[in-house]
Amino acid sequence: MPTNTPKWMTLVIILITLPVFTFPALLDRCPENSEAARTLVWIYPFYMLLSAWLAWKAYPQRSYVSWLLLAVMILSTIAVYALVTL
């Protein structure tokens, strides 16, 4: 079943998902004594990929759900970066 997600939206989703490739660097910067932070960093790439796929699938019928998923993805990326740098 092909989706009718426009190419520009696919590009936006890919651009918002790109920080997932910094996963090894994020894992290296994790605090040594914080197992919770390490667990959240390990979950981050799976969450981002699943959210990107769901945003891509949802866009043709429910574009607002797609935009909400993208906004939460941006906020979670900021939160993970803050977690490992502060």
Side-chain angles (χ1 to χ4, degrees), residues 40-80:
L40 289 172
V41 170
W42 268 102
I43 292 171
Y44 172 71
F46 300 108
Y47 161 74
M48 289 291 284
L49 292 175
L50 179 63
S51 292
W53 181 74
L54 289 172
W56 183 75
K57 289 294 274 185
Y59 188 82
Q61 294 176 341
R62 290 185 168 62
S63 62
Y64 57 90
V65 172
S66 197
W67 286 111
L68 286 172
L69 281 168
L70 293 175
V72 173
M73 287 170 63
I74 291 169
L75 291 173
S76 65
T77 298
I78 292 168
V80 166

Side-chain angles (χ1 to χ4, degrees), residues 4-54:
N4 296 332
T5 305
K7 292 190 186 317
W8 66 266
M9 185 59 171
T10 302
L11 182 64
V12 168
I13 292 170
I14 290 170
L15 289 175
I16 292 174
T17 309
L18 282 178
V20 84
F21 292 109
T22 62
F23 170 70
L26 289 172
L27 204 53
D28 281 345
R29 296 182 73 181
C30 252
E32 295 293 327
N33 56 355
S34 179
E35 195 62 33
R38 187 170 289 280
T39 301
L40 289 172
V41 170
W42 268 102
I43 292 171
Y44 172 71
F46 300 108
Y47 161 74
M48 289 291 284
L49 292 175
L50 179 63
S51 292
W53 181 74
L54 289 172

